[in-house]
Amino acid sequence: MSSMSLREFVWKVAFHLSLAGAALTICLLIGETYVPGSVLPFLDIVNGIPILIALVCGVVITMPRDMR
Amino acid sequence: MTIPKPIATACFAVPWILAVTVVGWVLLRRFPPSGVFVATTTFTPASAFINPFLPSERVSTPGVQPDGWVGQRIVGDPTYMTARVPGPYDTVEISMEFRPVHQPLLEIGLVKDVEGKELDLGPLFFEGLASSTWHAVQGGYVLRGLDASFLRSTQLGELATWDATSSLPALHDANAAITATEVSLRGAHDVYLVPADGLIDMTFSLQDVNRSRTNGTAVFRVFRGDEELSRESIGTGGSRDRGMGAVFEHRVRVPDAIPGVYRISFQSDDDVFIRSIRTTSRRWVVGPRLNFGDLVGYATTTQAGHAWTNSRHIVAETLHREGLQRVSLGSVSAGVTRTHQSFRLDRTDAGTTPVEVYAPLGDMRLVGDGWFAFRPDAFFEPKPKRLTDATDLLTEHLQGVITPYVRPDPLEDGWYRAQKTFQLDPSQDRLRFVLSAPGVMSRVGAVDIRRVTLTYRRSPLTPRGWIRLLEQELRNAWHRL
C-alpha cells in the first residue's frame, strides 16, 4: 500500500481545508449577492471572510510546489 | 512516520464534506421544510432579521434601560421598526411583549407598499377594555350583562367603533322646506344626511381661491352606507391673479332614496371653499373633520366657526396667525397659541346631548371623535363615535365597542403580550411596522418593548412547492438586479 510522509499529509490537509473553505465562502458570497439576506444573517461571518481569504492565499502561496 | 494513502484520501474529503454540510444547513435554514420561520429579538444583541425602533428622537437606545429591564422604550409617536424577510412567505405574525406607561391606546400596522402610502393599522391595546367589566363577544366587547346583539343596537350614542364598520340605521324624514346655511368651510369634507320624503337634495356654493390656476378640480362622491352611488368631477375655476374665483353652485340629487344614511364626500384641496349649503334634509352632519375657513377676499367681516357636536375629544389646529384664538367645546376651552400645532380639547362632563363648539375667528381645523351640525335640531349620529386614546367608556356612557381587537395576554408587572397577523406580498424583502401611541408625548407616557417575535408562515414544502419557491426567489433576485 502506498503512503505519504506526515509532512506531505499535513500540508495537503491544510490545502484541502483552505480550498474547501474558500469554495464555501465564494458560494455563500454569490448567494448573498443575488439573494441578499439569504446567507449572512444565518452565519454572521462577515468579519471572518477577509481572514478566511487571507488564510487560503497564505496556504496556497507557501505550499511547496511538489505538494500542490 | 508515513500515512497510508487511503486514510489520507479520506482525511482530504472531510473538509469538503463539512463545506457541503454547511451549505445544506444554510439551505435548510433559508427554506425550512415546515414552512415556518421564527425570528426573535430583545434588541440586545442586535438581530439580523429585526431592527430596533426608530426614529432615534422618539425612542431610547436599545439595551439595558435605566430601571434595569432590557429592551427599548418608546416616547414619541409614531415609531417604526423594519424587518428583513427571510424569503417568500404568505403571512407574518408579530408578537410583542410591551408595557404601557400612562398610554391607554396602542395600534400597530404594516406598511404594505414600497412607496409607504398604504398602511394597514389595527388595534393592539386599549386600557379601557382591560377590565373584567367588559367581556368579549362576537364583533367586539360589551358590558357584563349584555350580549353580542347589543352591538347591532340603534342606540348609536352607546356604541363606539375601533377599526371596524357598523351597519347604518335605516333613517328617513318627512318632507321639509329647503334650508340654507352660510358656512365657510375649506377643503375636503364628508356630509352625512337623512333623506327627506325619499329625496337627497343638497346644493353647495363653492369658490376656488387659488390665484395661480384656472383649472382646479374637485370630486363629489355619494354613498349609501359603503355602496357608492355616484361620482362626479367638477372644475372649480380659480383665476390668474385677478382676485378670487367666482362663486358657483353644484347640486347633488338622489331621487327615490330608500331609508338609510347617505354620505356626500366632497374631495378637494384646501383652496376650494364651501360658502353655503342648501338642502331639503332635516338632519345632516359633517365629520369627523370640520375645517372652518376665513372670509379673506370674500367678505369684509369675520365669520366665527360655530357648530354643535357630540364629540368629547377634539384636536384643533390653525395654519395662520390670524387664526390664533381660544376655542371652546362645551364647558372646556383651549388657547390655540401657535400655528401648525395641534391642541386638544377633552370634555369631562357626563352629558349626552350635543354641545357647542366655537371658534370666534373661524380659520380653525377641527377633528373630533363625533359629528358636527350647524343647527342643534339638525344633529343626528350617522354611526358610532370613534374610539380614541382619550375615550372614557364609562363616563361617556358607552356600553359596547365594535372592534376586531383581541385583548393581549397579561404578564407580570404590567407587561402584556399581544399578537397580530398580516398578509405578505411574496416579493417583499423588507417590512416596515408602525407603532402608534397617540398622545404619548402630551401625556409624558411611554411604551416599553422587551421582546419582538416575528413568525413567518407558508405552506410546508412539497417538491412542487419547492420549485415554486425557487421560481419566486429567482424572480425577486431578478427584480433586484
Side-chain angles (χ1 to χ4, degrees):
Chain A
M1 183 188 295
S2 60
S3 61
M4 62 178 64
S5 68
L6 183 62
R7 177 170 167 265
E8 183 185 352
F9 172 74
V10 169
W11 271 113
K12 285 199 168 175
V13 166
F15 176 75
H16 281 281
L17 200 61
S18 301
L19 200 60
L24 173 63
T25 304
I26 291 170
C27 284
L28 298 179
L29 280 174
I30 290 174
E32 180 66 20
T33 299
Y34 288 99
V35 188
S38 60
V39 173
L40 291 182
F42 298 103
L43 293 178
D44 195 17
I45 61 171
V46 176
N47 290 331
I49 288 177
I51 298 172
L52 198 59
I53 293 175
L55 183 65
V56 169
C57 294
V59 169
V60 172
I61 288 169
T62 57
M63 180 177 289
R65 207 177 281 272
D66 58 345
M67 297 289 183
R68 298 181 199 170
Chain B
M1 180 180 174
T2 60
I3 309 292
K5 270 211 169 160
I7 294 174
T9 305
C11 289
F12 300 155
V14 167
W16 296 99
I17 293 171
L18 282 175
V20 170
T21 303
V22 169
V23 171
W25 179 79
V26 170
L27 282 177
L28 276 180
R29 291 291 305 273
R30 183 74 171 85
F31 304 106
S34 65
V36 178
F37 181 89
V38 180
T40 191
T41 184
T42 58
F43 301 114
T44 298
S47 164
F49 291 98
I50 305 172
N51 298 315
F53 281 89
L54 290 171
S56 57
E57 59 268 25
R58 297 178 191 163
V59 301
S60 67
T61 303
V64 181
Q65 301 301 311
D67 35 356
W69 57 278
V70 177
Q72 196 173 21
R73 170 164 283 187
I74 292 170
V75 295
D77 175 56
T79 52
Y80 62 89
M81 175 189 78
T82 57
R84 184 203 301 263
V85 183
Y89 286 85
D90 298 328
T91 64
V92 61
E93 177 194 84
I94 178 168
S95 171
M96 191 180 296
E97 289 184 16
F98 64 95
R99 178 173 59 186
V101 181
H102 307 306
Q103 181 57 30
L105 185 146
L106 295 171
E107 294 177 307
I108 192 159
L110 178 65
V111 178
K112 300 179 81 171
D113 61 329
V114 174
E115 293 81 17
K117 294 179 181 174
E118 203 177 325
L119 177 61
D120 178 11
L121 197 66
L124 184 69
F125 171 75
F126 183 61
E127 187 178 55
L129 291 175
S131 159
S132 57
T133 309
W134 296 86
H135 72 109
V137 297
Q138 186 175 6
Y141 293 80
V142 294
L143 280 176
R144 289 273 171 207
L146 299 174
D147 58 30
S149 63
F150 185 80
L151 297 181
R152 296 186 292 277
S153 165
T154 55
Q155 300 297 320
L156 300 184
E158 297 172 340
L159 292 173
T161 61
W162 189 19
D163 190 36
T165 56
S166 61
S167 55
L168 301 181
L171 301 177
H172 66 279
D173 289 330
N175 195 12
I178 295 175
T179 57
T181 306
E182 298 296 315
V183 295
S184 179
L185 306 179
R186 66 184 310 169
H189 283 85
D190 285 333
V191 180
Y192 293 81
L193 59 167
V194 176
D197 199 22
L199 176 67
I200 292 290
D201 191 346
M202 184 168 270
T203 302
F204 297 82
S205 297
L206 304 169
Q207 184 183 31
D208 190 330
V209 303
N210 191 313
R211 300 165 72 127
S212 61
R213 69 182 181 198
T214 56
N215 56 351
T217 56
V219 178
F220 280 93
R221 301 172 69 185
V222 182
F223 299 83
R224 180 180 180 275
D226 293 329
E227 179 191 358
E228 185 171 3
L229 303 178
S230 69
R231 178 192 299 221
E232 187 176 355
S233 296
I234 61 170
T236 59
S239 73
R240 284 282 181 193
D241 205 25
R242 288 194 298 246
M244 302 293 180
V247 177
F248 66 98
E249 290 189 344
H250 181 78
R251 189 179 187 186
V252 175
R253 198 166 182 275
V254 181
D256 303 321
I258 61 177
V261 174
Y262 290 74
R263 173 166 62 102
I264 298 175
S265 178
F266 173 61
Q267 299 173 347
S268 79
D269 57 34
D270 281 355
D271 284 339
V272 181
F273 278 64
I274 301 173
R275 295 300 188 188
S276 73
I277 297 175
R278 293 201 314 274
T279 182
T280 56
S281 288
R282 291 172 183 263
R283 291 184 284 174
W284 61 282
V285 294
V286 175
R289 177 180 185 269
L290 180 64
N291 193 358
F292 291 121
D294 53 40
L295 297 182
V296 173
Y298 178 73
T300 56
T301 57
T302 300
Q303 181 170 359
H306 192 201
W308 280 260
T309 182
N310 68 332
S311 291
R312 299 196 60 87
H313 311 284
I314 284 181
V315 174
E317 181 182 0
T318 185
L319 303 182
H320 307 111
R321 289 184 58 81
E322 295 78 13
L324 300 180
Q325 62 193 290
R326 195 156 195 88
V327 178
S328 63
L329 171 65
S331 58
V332 302
S333 65
V336 178
T337 54
R338 277 188 289 278
T339 63
H340 299 85
Q341 184 171 332
S342 298
F343 293 83
R344 295 173 66 115
L345 291 96
D346 297 299
R347 289 168 56 190
T348 55
D349 63 276
T352 56
T353 55
V355 299
E356 288 183 64
V357 58
Y358 187 67
L361 302 179
D363 203 354
M364 187 66 59
R365 182 168 62 196
L366 306 174
V367 179
D369 61 339
W371 316 99
F372 302 88
F374 295 98
R375 295 192 331 270
D377 57 316
F379 183 85
F380 81 106
E381 292 187 71
K383 44 186 169 179
K385 60 167 63 78
R386 287 184 306 121
L387 193 79
T388 71
D389 60 304
T391 301
D392 185 329
L393 297 173
L394 295 180
T395 303
E396 298 179 29
H397 305 291
L398 297 170
Q399 300 188 59
V401 180
I402 303 168
T403 178
Y405 167 63
V406 176
R407 273 193 282 230
D409 302 319
L411 304 174
E412 75 292 347
D413 296 334
W415 290 90
Y416 294 90
R417 182 188 300 119
Q419 297 90 25
K420 191 160 172 62
T421 301
F422 299 93
Q423 297 294 316
L424 289 181
D425 177 349
S427 64
Q428 279 178 294
D429 290 334
R430 285 201 167 272
L431 302 179
R432 186 171 156 125
F433 293 93
V434 177
L435 183 67
S436 173
V440 64
M441 290 184 69
S442 61
R443 214 176 275 117
V444 195
V447 184
D448 297 339
I449 311 284
R450 69 180 183 189
R451 183 185 297 273
V452 174
T453 301
L454 298 180
T455 305
Y456 297 89
R457 290 193 172 87
R458 62 176 173 227
S459 306
L461 282 179
T462 59
R464 188 182 289 251
W466 180 276
I467 293 171
R468 272 203 299 269
L469 192 60
L470 279 179
E471 286 173 354
Q472 183 66 54
E473 288 276 24
L474 288 172
R475 264 198 295 273
N476 293 350
W478 179 257
H479 288 137
R480 286 187 213 103
L481 289 176

